[in-house]
mmCIF file of all heavy atoms in Angstrom:
data_model
loop_
_atom_site.group_PDB
_atom_site.id
_atom_site.type_symbol
_atom_site.label_atom_id
_atom_site.label_comp_id
_atom_site.label_asym_id
_atom_site.label_seq_id
_atom_site.Cartn_x
_atom_site.Cartn_y
_atom_site.Cartn_z
ATOM 1 N N THR A 1347 -10.814 -9.492 -19.540
ATOM 2 C CA THR A 1347 -11.516 -10.536 -18.798
ATOM 3 C C THR A 1347 -11.777 -9.989 -17.398
ATOM 4 O O THR A 1347 -11.149 -9.024 -16.965
ATOM 5 C CB THR A 1347 -10.667 -11.820 -18.688
ATOM 6 O OG1 THR A 1347 -9.472 -11.542 -17.946
ATOM 7 C CG2 THR A 1347 -10.299 -12.347 -20.076
ATOM 8 N N PHE A 1348 -12.715 -10.604 -16.698
ATOM 9 C CA PHE A 1348 -13.083 -10.136 -15.361
ATOM 10 C C PHE A 1348 -11.872 -10.085 -14.437
ATOM 11 O O PHE A 1348 -11.628 -9.073 -13.759
ATOM 12 C CB PHE A 1348 -14.154 -11.050 -14.775
ATOM 13 C CG PHE A 1348 -14.586 -10.678 -13.383
ATOM 14 C CD1 PHE A 1348 -15.379 -9.557 -13.151
ATOM 15 C CD2 PHE A 1348 -14.199 -11.449 -12.294
ATOM 16 C CE1 PHE A 1348 -15.771 -9.219 -11.868
ATOM 17 C CE2 PHE A 1348 -14.587 -11.115 -11.004
ATOM 18 C CZ PHE A 1348 -15.377 -9.996 -10.793
ATOM 19 N N GLN A 1349 -11.099 -11.153 -14.421
ATOM 20 C CA GLN A 1349 -9.955 -11.232 -13.503
ATOM 21 C C GLN A 1349 -8.845 -10.253 -13.891
ATOM 22 O O GLN A 1349 -8.232 -9.626 -13.015
ATOM 23 C CB GLN A 1349 -9.407 -12.668 -13.488
ATOM 24 C CG GLN A 1349 -8.389 -12.906 -12.366
ATOM 25 C CD GLN A 1349 -8.196 -14.389 -12.108
ATOM 26 O OE1 GLN A 1349 -9.157 -15.112 -11.887
ATOM 27 N NE2 GLN A 1349 -6.954 -14.837 -12.127
ATOM 28 N N GLU A 1350 -8.598 -10.084 -15.178
ATOM 29 C CA GLU A 1350 -7.542 -9.171 -15.619
ATOM 30 C C GLU A 1350 -7.925 -7.710 -15.396
ATOM 31 O O GLU A 1350 -7.068 -6.884 -15.060
ATOM 32 C CB GLU A 1350 -7.219 -9.400 -17.098
ATOM 33 C CG GLU A 1350 -6.366 -10.624 -17.363
ATOM 34 C CD GLU A 1350 -4.979 -10.517 -16.729
ATOM 35 O OE1 GLU A 1350 -4.341 -9.465 -16.861
ATOM 36 O OE2 GLU A 1350 -4.552 -11.500 -16.095
ATOM 37 N N VAL A 1351 -9.196 -7.379 -15.576
ATOM 38 C CA VAL A 1351 -9.650 -6.004 -15.296
ATOM 39 C C VAL A 1351 -9.545 -5.721 -13.811
ATOM 40 O O VAL A 1351 -9.113 -4.624 -13.407
ATOM 41 C CB VAL A 1351 -11.090 -5.794 -15.804
ATOM 42 C CG1 VAL A 1351 -11.666 -4.469 -15.293
ATOM 43 C CG2 VAL A 1351 -11.133 -5.812 -17.332
ATOM 44 N N LEU A 1352 -9.915 -6.679 -12.980
ATOM 45 C CA LEU A 1352 -9.766 -6.505 -11.525
ATOM 46 C C LEU A 1352 -8.289 -6.356 -11.137
ATOM 47 O O LEU A 1352 -7.957 -5.572 -10.251
ATOM 48 C CB LEU A 1352 -10.388 -7.680 -10.776
ATOM 49 C CG LEU A 1352 -11.896 -7.621 -10.516
ATOM 50 C CD1 LEU A 1352 -12.328 -8.832 -9.699
ATOM 51 C CD2 LEU A 1352 -12.292 -6.332 -9.813
ATOM 52 N N TRP A 1353 -7.437 -7.121 -11.804
ATOM 53 C CA TRP A 1353 -5.999 -7.016 -11.517
ATOM 54 C C TRP A 1353 -5.502 -5.620 -11.875
ATOM 55 O O TRP A 1353 -4.781 -4.988 -11.089
ATOM 56 C CB TRP A 1353 -5.227 -8.063 -12.327
ATOM 57 C CG TRP A 1353 -3.734 -7.972 -12.128
ATOM 58 C CD1 TRP A 1353 -3.012 -8.531 -11.117
ATOM 59 C CD2 TRP A 1353 -2.798 -7.258 -12.954
ATOM 60 N NE1 TRP A 1353 -1.676 -8.213 -11.260
ATOM 61 C CE2 TRP A 1353 -1.513 -7.427 -12.369
ATOM 62 C CE3 TRP A 1353 -2.920 -6.500 -14.102
ATOM 63 C CZ2 TRP A 1353 -0.370 -6.869 -12.912
ATOM 64 C CZ3 TRP A 1353 -1.774 -5.938 -14.656
ATOM 65 C CH2 TRP A 1353 -0.509 -6.127 -14.062
ATOM 66 N N ALA A 1354 -5.877 -5.120 -13.037
ATOM 67 C CA ALA A 1354 -5.481 -3.760 -13.445
ATOM 68 C C ALA A 1354 -6.030 -2.734 -12.479
ATOM 69 O O ALA A 1354 -5.329 -1.787 -12.085
ATOM 70 C CB ALA A 1354 -5.953 -3.476 -14.861
ATOM 71 N N PHE A 1355 -7.290 -2.910 -12.052
ATOM 72 C CA PHE A 1355 -7.912 -2.004 -11.070
ATOM 73 C C PHE A 1355 -7.114 -1.971 -9.784
ATOM 74 O O PHE A 1355 -6.839 -0.899 -9.221
ATOM 75 C CB PHE A 1355 -9.344 -2.452 -10.806
ATOM 76 C CG PHE A 1355 -9.975 -1.798 -9.614
ATOM 77 C CD1 PHE A 1355 -10.372 -0.469 -9.643
ATOM 78 C CD2 PHE A 1355 -10.185 -2.520 -8.438
ATOM 79 C CE1 PHE A 1355 -10.964 0.135 -8.543
ATOM 80 C CE2 PHE A 1355 -10.769 -1.942 -7.339
ATOM 81 C CZ PHE A 1355 -11.157 -0.608 -7.376
ATOM 82 N N SER A 1356 -6.684 -3.150 -9.319
ATOM 83 C CA SER A 1356 -5.925 -3.211 -8.062
ATOM 84 C C SER A 1356 -4.558 -2.551 -8.199
ATOM 85 O O SER A 1356 -4.069 -1.911 -7.261
ATOM 86 C CB SER A 1356 -5.747 -4.679 -7.626
ATOM 87 O OG SER A 1356 -4.781 -5.353 -8.419
ATOM 88 N N ILE A 1357 -3.949 -2.659 -9.368
ATOM 89 C CA ILE A 1357 -2.648 -2.039 -9.603
ATOM 90 C C ILE A 1357 -2.775 -0.530 -9.608
ATOM 91 O O ILE A 1357 -1.988 0.194 -8.959
ATOM 92 C CB ILE A 1357 -2.049 -2.525 -10.946
ATOM 93 C CG1 ILE A 1357 -1.701 -4.018 -10.869
ATOM 94 C CG2 ILE A 1357 -0.805 -1.709 -11.300
ATOM 95 C CD1 ILE A 1357 -0.641 -4.368 -9.864
ATOM 96 N N TYR A 1358 -3.779 -0.011 -10.323
ATOM 97 C CA TYR A 1358 -3.996 1.437 -10.367
ATOM 98 C C TYR A 1358 -4.358 1.976 -8.976
ATOM 99 O O TYR A 1358 -3.882 3.043 -8.571
ATOM 100 C CB TYR A 1358 -5.129 1.777 -11.353
ATOM 101 C CG TYR A 1358 -4.810 1.427 -12.782
ATOM 102 C CD1 TYR A 1358 -5.781 0.856 -13.609
ATOM 103 C CD2 TYR A 1358 -3.550 1.656 -13.328
ATOM 104 C CE1 TYR A 1358 -5.509 0.537 -14.938
ATOM 105 C CE2 TYR A 1358 -3.272 1.330 -14.649
ATOM 106 C CZ TYR A 1358 -4.251 0.781 -15.440
ATOM 107 O OH TYR A 1358 -3.967 0.450 -16.745
ATOM 108 N N LEU A 1359 -5.206 1.231 -8.264
ATOM 109 C CA LEU A 1359 -5.654 1.695 -6.955
ATOM 110 C C LEU A 1359 -4.512 1.704 -5.942
ATOM 111 O O LEU A 1359 -4.400 2.617 -5.124
ATOM 112 C CB LEU A 1359 -6.795 0.813 -6.452
ATOM 113 C CG LEU A 1359 -7.498 1.295 -5.169
ATOM 114 C CD1 LEU A 1359 -8.106 2.680 -5.375
ATOM 115 C CD2 LEU A 1359 -8.589 0.306 -4.757
ATOM 116 N N GLU A 1360 -3.645 0.689 -6.003
ATOM 117 C CA GLU A 1360 -2.518 0.657 -5.070
ATOM 118 C C GLU A 1360 -1.590 1.841 -5.292
ATOM 119 O O GLU A 1360 -0.982 2.357 -4.346
ATOM 120 C CB GLU A 1360 -1.722 -0.644 -5.225
ATOM 121 C CG GLU A 1360 -0.623 -0.769 -4.182
ATOM 122 C CD GLU A 1360 0.191 -2.035 -4.313
ATOM 123 O OE1 GLU A 1360 0.116 -2.710 -5.359
ATOM 124 O OE2 GLU A 1360 0.940 -2.354 -3.363
ATOM 125 N N ALA A 1361 -1.485 2.296 -6.549
ATOM 126 C CA ALA A 1361 -0.595 3.412 -6.858
ATOM 127 C C ALA A 1361 -1.006 4.685 -6.139
ATOM 128 O O ALA A 1361 -0.155 5.521 -5.803
ATOM 129 C CB ALA A 1361 -0.554 3.646 -8.368
ATOM 130 N N VAL A 1362 -2.303 4.849 -5.874
ATOM 131 C CA VAL A 1362 -2.784 6.102 -5.285
ATOM 132 C C VAL A 1362 -3.384 5.919 -3.892
ATOM 133 O O VAL A 1362 -3.820 6.899 -3.279
ATOM 134 C CB VAL A 1362 -3.822 6.778 -6.211
ATOM 135 C CG1 VAL A 1362 -3.180 7.209 -7.516
ATOM 136 C CG2 VAL A 1362 -5.017 5.843 -6.486
ATOM 137 N N ALA A 1363 -3.427 4.683 -3.394
ATOM 138 C CA ALA A 1363 -4.076 4.406 -2.110
ATOM 139 C C ALA A 1363 -3.428 5.136 -0.941
ATOM 140 O O ALA A 1363 -4.082 5.413 0.065
ATOM 141 C CB ALA A 1363 -4.084 2.905 -1.840
ATOM 142 N N ILE A 1364 -2.147 5.474 -1.062
ATOM 143 C CA ILE A 1364 -1.432 6.129 0.033
ATOM 144 C C ILE A 1364 -1.795 7.606 0.144
ATOM 145 O O ILE A 1364 -1.489 8.254 1.159
ATOM 146 C CB ILE A 1364 0.103 5.980 -0.162
ATOM 147 C CG1 ILE A 1364 0.875 6.326 1.123
ATOM 148 C CG2 ILE A 1364 0.588 6.844 -1.312
ATOM 149 C CD1 ILE A 1364 0.573 5.419 2.278
ATOM 150 N N LEU A 1365 -2.440 8.183 -0.856
ATOM 151 C CA LEU A 1365 -2.732 9.612 -0.861
ATOM 152 C C LEU A 1365 -3.512 10.093 0.374
ATOM 153 O O LEU A 1365 -3.120 11.095 0.996
ATOM 154 C CB LEU A 1365 -3.469 10.002 -2.142
ATOM 155 C CG LEU A 1365 -2.590 10.197 -3.381
ATOM 156 C CD1 LEU A 1365 -3.470 10.436 -4.624
ATOM 157 C CD2 LEU A 1365 -1.638 11.371 -3.190
ATOM 158 N N PRO A 1366 -4.607 9.445 0.770
ATOM 159 C CA PRO A 1366 -5.299 9.893 1.985
ATOM 160 C C PRO A 1366 -4.390 9.887 3.222
ATOM 161 O O PRO A 1366 -4.490 10.773 4.059
ATOM 162 C CB PRO A 1366 -6.444 8.888 2.132
ATOM 163 C CG PRO A 1366 -6.699 8.403 0.740
ATOM 164 C CD PRO A 1366 -5.336 8.335 0.106
ATOM 165 N N GLN A 1367 -3.502 8.891 3.299
ATOM 166 C CA GLN A 1367 -2.578 8.821 4.438
ATOM 167 C C GLN A 1367 -1.595 9.981 4.425
ATOM 168 O O GLN A 1367 -1.338 10.618 5.453
ATOM 169 C CB GLN A 1367 -1.811 7.497 4.416
ATOM 170 C CG GLN A 1367 -0.811 7.333 5.553
ATOM 171 C CD GLN A 1367 -1.480 7.272 6.913
ATOM 172 O OE1 GLN A 1367 -2.246 6.357 7.179
ATOM 173 N NE2 GLN A 1367 -1.208 8.245 7.761
ATOM 174 N N LEU A 1368 -1.025 10.286 3.274
ATOM 175 C CA LEU A 1368 -0.068 11.380 3.173
ATOM 176 C C LEU A 1368 -0.723 12.727 3.455
ATOM 177 O O LEU A 1368 -0.129 13.592 4.115
ATOM 178 C CB LEU A 1368 0.575 11.381 1.791
ATOM 179 C CG LEU A 1368 1.463 10.168 1.445
ATOM 180 C CD1 LEU A 1368 1.950 10.247 0.009
ATOM 181 C CD2 LEU A 1368 2.649 10.081 2.400
#
Side-chain angles (χ1 to χ4, degrees):
T1347 63
F1348 178 73
Q1349 191 163 307
E1350 283 296 314
V1351 169
L1352 276 183
W1353 178 84
F1355 167 73
S1356 75
I1357 293 297
Y1358 296 139
L1359 188 60
E1360 186 181 14
V1362 295
I1364 195 63
L1365 279 174
Q1367 179 65 63
L1368 294 176

